[in-house]
């Protein structure tokens, strides 16, 4: 069995020794230890020693070498189960839920908001289950981009890898701009935005230079804060609903609200188009959940930690999205003008969570909620460097990106990829200009559809993998973790993602309220809604023509490189024996989680 944690020791290093002669007790200085940590990991020898195959010399893609390199990546396995579980939460709770849901409520009404987020949650559940099955069996660098290369088409894997890397590369300055906008809730001075950008950028960069464990600990803290805030809002929202009603003049009178706002002004707004526009917002809100699969390559025990994190996705979706947005729809009317008063999709003034608290006459809590929104923004920015750097390193290891991105240091950091991703954070200084909103919108356009393509590829890769698994004579009993919704769930996820792409095209071409927009505004709206699609297809077609790739046949798929060997029967028996010793509370927790 391949070891779970790859470690470095001075004896195995080809670089400067950590100890001099026999002076093993002499402590190295902090500066020297820090300097040595940036040197290339001695395990990162794949790209140095591997010679290009004949197919690479001819300009063709070498699928075998790509699979071997991603499977042999020297990323350290330092993430624990608690990190992985909170990454699964933290990746999906952000401005899409706290702020983006406000415009969605205004466009579609409370019923559309609830329906769209619920159905998107079902799609997300199916997608993450498929990703979990693949990631437990193949916890390789690059995760879903590598799966597209191995199980679909190397050209599509190239397009998906760069699509995902670009998404996060753009999201970093985007979130830094968003963080500076949240400060405007208290201090509206555009000249100070540059100072806030510097502080936020330095914080995010320092966290990522602390290695994968630093990223995991930071996400753990961020996620605990966000989860606490959502649970707190749910409890507060129930109380406001019970006795937070207002009179005809808008003054709180302590009356019961219930579903009063679903009757007047109504449950739906703008008909079917309003519902479709909410689907797009819901998809954006769930972006980042797939990071749990990317982190599998740096998890101590992916066989144990990943299924536990994956299983809880359903309950997180139910509690943090469906319940909270159900309450939001009963507390804030879709025609409330404050929902459209925000300057961007990160402006807390347009957050329905903040508006609900303000309407109840609570003065301090809106500022507390804005702090939570700021933390959410920083969390996403933190994930941006992690997601883009790991994807760039995996692309380089497959010879689909500049090879220097594959440099992994002794702390398991893809050093040059982190530096490159961090350098794009300087675009956040656009927040100090009067064009901050335009910059925000166009950066968002580049990343808007990226998650839809990623999720579609995960589902399709799982479908193709299952077909190849059966074709090559394997049974489902050999899988250490099996998606409970199986191939049917992956087809549901794939089909739903295609429907969201169609909805995005329609609402981009003919948005809600299009008759009040000029021709120039309609064109800008369409490109901001659909810019990612032509970029993806241009990358796919260009790489396919350049490398002359082909769709991988099921009988030719590599089902062995990077595969973790499990004695499934022994593991199941051990887990059953372990469950017998669990206390009652743990049995109940594991049953629902």
């Amino acid at each position: 069995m391949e070891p779970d944690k790859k470690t470095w020791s001075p004896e195995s290093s080809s670089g400067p020794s950590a100890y001099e002669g026999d002076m093993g007790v002499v402590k190295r200085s902090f500066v020297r230890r820090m300097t040595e940590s940036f040197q290339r990991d001695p395990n990162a020898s794949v790209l140095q020693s591997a010679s290009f195959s004949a197919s690479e010399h001819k300009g063709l893609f070498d699928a075998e070498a790509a699979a071997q390199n991603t499977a042999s990546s020297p990323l350290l396995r330092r993430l624990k189960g608690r990190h992985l579980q909170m990454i699964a939460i933290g990746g999906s709770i952000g401005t899409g839920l706290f702020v983006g849901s406000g415009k969605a409520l205004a466009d579609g009404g409370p019923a559309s908001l609830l329906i769209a987020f619920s159905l998107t949650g079902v799609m997300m559940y199916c997608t993450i289950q498929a990703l979990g099955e693949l990631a437990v069996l193949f916890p390789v660098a690059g995760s879903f981009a590598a799966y597209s290369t191995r199980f679909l088409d190397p050209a599509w894997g190239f397009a998906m890898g760069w699509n995902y890397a670009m998404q996060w590369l753009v999201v970093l300055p985007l979130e830094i701009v968003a963080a500076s906008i949240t400060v405007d809730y208290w201090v509206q001075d555009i000249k100070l935005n540059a100072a806030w950008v510097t502080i936020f950028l330095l914080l995010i960069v320092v966290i990522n230079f602390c290695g994968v464990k630093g990223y995991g600990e930071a996400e753990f803290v961020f996620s605990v804060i966000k989860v606490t805030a959502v649970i707190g809002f749910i409890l507060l929202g129930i109380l406001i609903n019970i006795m937070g009603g207002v009179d005809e003049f808008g003054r709180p009178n302590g009356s019961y609200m219930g579903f009063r706002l679903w009757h007047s002004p109504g449950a739906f707004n703008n008909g079917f188009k309003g519902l479709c526009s909410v689907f797009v917002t819901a998809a954006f809100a769930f972006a980042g959940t797939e990071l749990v699969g990317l982190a599998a390559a740096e998890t101590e025990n992916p066989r144990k930690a990943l299924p536990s994190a994956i299983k809880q996705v359903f309950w997180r979706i139910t509690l943090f999205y469906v319940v909270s947005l159900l309450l939001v729809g009963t507390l804030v009317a879709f025609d409330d003008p404050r929902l459209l008063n925000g300057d961007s999709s990160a402006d807390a003034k347009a957050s329905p969570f903040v508006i609900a608290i303000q309407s109840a006459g609570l003065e301090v809590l809106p500022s507390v909620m804005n702090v939570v929104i700021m933390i959410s923004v920083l969390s996403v920015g933190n994930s941006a460097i992690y997601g883009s750097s790991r994807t760039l390193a995996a692309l380089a290891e497959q010879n689909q990106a500049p090879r220097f991105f594959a440099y992994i240091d002794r702390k398991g950091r893809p050093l040059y990829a982190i530096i490159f991703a961090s350098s794009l954070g300087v675009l956040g200084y656009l927040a100090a200009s009067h064009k901050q909103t335009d910059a925000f919108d166009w950066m968002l356009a580049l990343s808007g559809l990226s998650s839809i393509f990623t999720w579609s590829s995960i589902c399709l890769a799982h479908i193709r993998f299952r077909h190849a698994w059966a074709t090559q004579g394997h049974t489902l009993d050999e899988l250490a973790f099996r998606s409970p919704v199986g191939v049917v769930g992956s087809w549901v996820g794939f089909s739903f993602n295609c429907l969201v792409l169609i909805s995005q095209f329609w609402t981009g071409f003919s948005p809600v309220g299009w008759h009040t927009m000029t021709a120039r505004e309609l064109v800008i709206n369409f490109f901001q809604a659909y810019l990612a699609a032509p970029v993806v297809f241009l990358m796919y077609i260009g790489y396919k023509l350049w490398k002359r790739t082909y769709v991988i046949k099921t009988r030719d798929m590599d089902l062995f490189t990077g595969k973790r060997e499990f004695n499934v029967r022994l593991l199941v028996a051990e887990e059953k024996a372990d469950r017998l010793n669990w206390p009652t509370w743990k049995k109940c927790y594991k049953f629902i989680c």
Side-chain angles (χ1 to χ4, degrees):
M1 181 183 296
E2 185 182 346
D4 271 345
K5 182 185 284 187
K6 299 175 183 177
T7 57
W8 168 78
S9 63
E11 291 76 13
S12 65
S13 173
S14 59
S17 173
Y19 301 92
E20 298 177 2
D22 295 325
M23 299 176 63
V25 297
V26 177
K27 293 183 178 180
R28 294 169 295 165
S29 68
F30 171 77
V31 174
R32 181 177 177 183
R33 283 186 285 117
M34 184 175 67
T35 303
E36 287 182 354
S37 74
F38 291 111
Q39 296 176 2
R40 181 185 286 274
D41 190 306
N43 291 314
S45 58
V46 176
L47 286 172
Q48 291 177 314
S49 61
S51 59
F52 289 116
S53 66
S55 60
E56 287 286 358
H57 280 302
K58 295 177 182 178
L60 303 177
F61 181 79
D62 189 344
E64 183 179 350
Q68 184 60 47
N69 288 356
T70 53
S72 305
S73 176
L75 296 170
L76 296 184
R77 300 188 182 277
R78 296 249 174 108
L79 288 176
K80 299 183 183 297
R82 63 182 179 88
H83 295 138
L84 205 61
Q85 291 184 17
M86 283 302 178
I87 287 172
I89 298 177
S92 59
I93 298 179
T95 54
L97 172 64
F98 290 128
V99 182
S101 57
K103 185 176 185 302
L105 177 61
D107 288 342
S112 292
L113 188 69
L114 187 62
I115 292 171
F117 272 81
S118 298
L119 292 177
T120 305
V122 172
M123 177 273 291
M124 199 71 248
Y125 176 77
C126 295
T127 303
I128 296 301
Q129 294 295 334
L131 176 59
E133 183 177 306
L134 293 172
V136 168
L137 195 62
F138 302 102
V140 299
S143 189
F144 27 82
Y147 302 148
S148 293
T149 297
R150 289 177 67 168
F151 304 132
L152 298 176
D153 182 347
W156 189 249
F158 170 83
M160 286 302 94
W162 275 105
N163 165 67
Y164 198 70
M166 282 200 311
Q167 172 189 348
W168 286 118
L169 288 172
V170 169
V171 161
L172 176 61
L174 183 73
E175 296 304 318
I176 293 174
V177 170
S180 69
I181 290 174
T182 60
V183 179
D184 291 342
Y185 185 82
W186 300 290
V187 182
Q188 295 184 355
D189 186 350
I190 197 170
K191 297 178 181 178
L192 291 176
N193 281 357
W196 292 116
V197 166
T198 303
I199 293 171
F200 295 144
L201 180 59
L202 284 176
L203 176 63
I204 292 170
V205 170
V206 167
I207 288 173
N208 277 272
F209 269 101
C210 290
V212 67
K213 196 166 185 179
Y215 164 74
E217 292 293 350
E219 279 305 295
F220 184 83
V221 174
F222 289 153
S223 296
V224 167
I225 295 173
K226 290 189 285 187
V227 169
T228 303
V230 173
I231 294 174
F233 175 82
I234 289 173
L235 297 176
L236 177 63
I238 292 172
L239 292 175
I240 295 175
N241 186 277
I242 293 173
M243 51 185 182
V246 297
D247 59 21
E248 58 184 13
F249 300 105
R251 295 174 300 195
N253 61 4
S255 62
Y256 172 70
M257 294 186 66
F259 286 85
R260 184 188 305 171
L261 297 179
W262 284 50
H263 296 284
S264 177
F268 293 94
N269 190 29
N270 295 311
F272 184 67
K273 183 178 288 187
L275 176 62
C276 289
S277 66
V278 179
F279 274 119
V280 175
T281 303
F284 171 75
F286 281 102
T289 310
E290 72 286 339
L291 275 170
V292 68
L294 195 66
E298 297 177 84
T299 302
E300 283 185 359
N301 189 351
R303 161 67 184 90
K304 184 177 181 180
L306 259 176
S308 179
I310 294 297
K311 282 194 301 184
Q312 296 180 42
V313 169
F314 174 78
W315 300 104
R316 291 167 189 158
I317 291 170
T318 302
L319 180 63
F320 301 134
Y321 282 89
V322 177
V323 175
S324 62
L325 291 178
L326 173 63
L327 283 168
V328 162
T330 64
L331 300 177
V332 181
F334 70 72
D335 58 356
D336 192 314
R338 292 173 292 181
L339 291 172
L340 301 176
N341 279 346
D343 295 327
S344 77
S345 59
D347 196 334
K349 293 192 295 291
S351 168
F353 291 79
V354 172
I355 293 171
I357 296 171
Q358 287 176 335
S359 299
L362 303 173
E363 298 180 356
V364 177
L365 288 180
S367 291
V368 174
M369 202 67 207
N370 191 58
V371 171
V372 174
I373 294 172
M374 180 187 296
I375 291 172
S376 300
V377 168
L378 293 176
S379 173
V380 176
N382 186 38
S383 296
I385 292 184
Y386 177 81
S388 60
S389 62
R390 269 57 179 184
T391 305
L392 285 172
L395 286 168
E397 286 168 346
Q398 297 175 86
N399 200 33
Q400 293 179 330
R403 298 180 73 82
F404 66 87
F405 284 137
Y407 184 100
I408 310 291
D409 66 20
R410 290 174 172 174
K411 289 290 186 181
R413 296 169 296 207
L415 190 61
Y416 293 151
I418 290 176
I419 292 173
F420 177 72
S422 302
S423 66
L424 291 186
V426 299
L427 293 175
Y429 286 104
L430 290 170
S433 74
H434 292 283
K435 295 290 185 179
Q436 60 167 284
T437 302
D438 292 337
F440 192 99
D441 291 338
W442 281 107
M443 284 190 285
L444 185 62
L446 277 174
S447 62
L449 288 178
S450 296
S451 292
I452 305 299
F453 284 110
T454 297
W455 298 336
S456 301
S457 297
I458 291 171
C459 293
L460 198 55
H462 179 248
I463 293 168
R464 296 270 293 157
F465 160 74
R466 279 287 191 94
H467 189 195
W469 190 254
T471 300
Q472 297 185 23
H474 297 280
T475 64
L476 297 182
D477 292 335
E478 298 175 53
L479 297 175
F481 173 73
R482 191 188 314 171
S483 169
V485 291
V487 175
V488 173
S490 293
W491 275 116
V492 170
F494 178 74
S495 302
F496 194 89
N497 277 297
C498 291
L499 290 175
V500 173
L501 284 175
I502 295 171
S503 298
Q504 177 76 326
F505 183 87
W506 183 37
T507 56
F509 181 77
S510 178
V512 171
W514 64 271
H515 54 279
T516 62
M517 302 170 67
T518 64
R520 180 175 181 274
E521 289 173 336
L522 286 171
V523 171
I524 291 175
N525 181 81
F526 177 75
F527 278 103
Q528 287 183 345
Y530 229 73
L531 182 61
V535 172
V536 166
F537 287 111
L538 283 174
M539 287 191 293
Y540 171 65
I541 294 171
Y543 193 82
K544 194 171 187 66
L545 294 175
W546 179 35
K547 291 291 186 178
R548 289 171 280 173
T549 65
Y550 55 90
V551 176
I552 307 295
K553 296 179 180 178
T554 53
R555 65 174 181 270
D556 297 330
M557 287 183 188
D558 181 359
L559 301 180
F560 298 98
T561 305
K563 175 176 174 287
R564 284 193 180 273
E565 298 294 341
F566 297 105
N567 187 332
V568 178
R569 291 183 179 178
L570 179 60
L571 286 172
V572 171
E574 290 177 351
E575 289 175 356
K576 285 183 178 179
D578 186 39
R579 282 197 292 268
L580 293 175
N581 299 321
W582 286 354
T584 303
W585 69 266
K586 189 171 184 179
K587 291 179 181 179
C588 295
Y589 173 78
K590 289 294 184 180
F591 176 75
I592 62 174
C593 297

